[in-house]
Amino acid sequence: LKKVMLGVGQLLLVAVIGLGVIAAALGLGVFRGVIDSAPSQTVIDVSPKGFSSFVYDAKNNQIAKLVSADSNRIPVSGDMITDDLAHAFVAIEDERFYEHKGIDAPGILRAAVIGVTSGNFSEGASTITQQLIKNSVFTEWTKETSFLDRFRRKIQEQYLALQLEKRISKEEILEAYMNTINLGQNCLGVQSAAKKYFNKDVSELTLSESAVIAGITQNPSRLNPISNPEDN
């Protein structure tokens, strides 16, 4: 009887190991398929798109600003962005930005633990690089309706973030991100936000004003400094 039980146990162990191998192979195949269907890393463009237009009179005085849908953006170069503003965005959005290679493994683990223990999987783990990819490449992400759509996009987003960080510098990524990000009140990018909220160029922002603008990013409606100043 013992030999029979031992034999059955060995068969079950072999079966479990076999099922594990099959499941791992299937998972790897699905993962590989998701990666292979991602946009080509050699042609992805993360530069800001859609800009405001300005009309000037013969004396070079601005007489009108023309803004089409999703185009209230005034691009600025990195040397116009103050250290305070850059540091504020990194502090609130991606504190390990200068350390990771595109994805933040500790952040992903933290979000997973919080999700499992609380049942709330809303904890963010996207890096600034991933957010730039999402807003520049996966522009239809707001229309995703299923978990599978979000999962597929997230995997591709992480893969492309790793590839992007091999191609351009952290400074270039941060500059593109700060020119792209939605900052409420139809403001796209930090220059439009600086003009809207403080009537200043982005290079003139104080530390506290920089914190106000960076604080909008996680929820542009709820954290809007005009409609919800206390929340901001």
Side-chain angles (χ1 to χ4, degrees), residues 93-216:
E93 286 295 295
D94 186 2
E95 63 183 359
R96 285 179 287 274
F97 174 67
Y98 291 105
E99 301 167 20
H100 63 65
K101 301 296 183 182
I103 61 175
D104 180 18
I108 294 172
L109 180 61
R110 181 197 68 237
V113 170
I114 292 174
V116 170
T117 56
S118 69
N120 181 4
F121 287 89
S122 62
E123 178 79 8
S126 291
T127 63
I128 282 175
T129 314
Q130 286 178 242
Q131 292 180 52
L132 177 59
I133 292 287
K134 179 176 69 176
N135 292 324
S136 301
V137 179
F138 300 105
T139 55
E140 299 294 310
W141 67 271
T142 56
K143 299 178 182 178
E144 292 170 349
T145 57
S146 70
F147 171 79
L148 288 177
D149 287 339
R150 290 190 292 272
F151 176 78
R152 179 174 178 273
R153 188 258 306 162
K154 198 72 174 180
I155 295 299
Q156 293 181 345
E157 180 185 294
Q158 292 175 346
Y159 168 71
L160 291 175
L162 290 169
Q163 302 308 312
L164 183 65
E165 292 229 2
K166 296 176 184 178
R167 290 173 45 203
I168 62 178
S169 68
K170 290 284 189 180
E171 290 71 24
E172 290 173 306
I173 290 170
L174 188 58
E175 178 184 329
Y177 167 82
M178 294 174 73
N179 275 304
T180 302
I181 192 70
N182 174 14
L183 292 168
Q185 296 285 318
N186 194 34
C187 295
L188 300 175
V190 291
Q191 176 70 351
S192 291
K195 288 289 189 180
K196 175 69 177 181
Y197 299 122
F198 300 109
N199 196 29
K200 290 182 175 182
D201 283 324
V202 69
S203 60
E204 299 171 332
L205 293 173
T206 66
L207 174 59
S208 60
E209 291 165 348
S210 298
V212 165
I213 288 178
I216 300 170

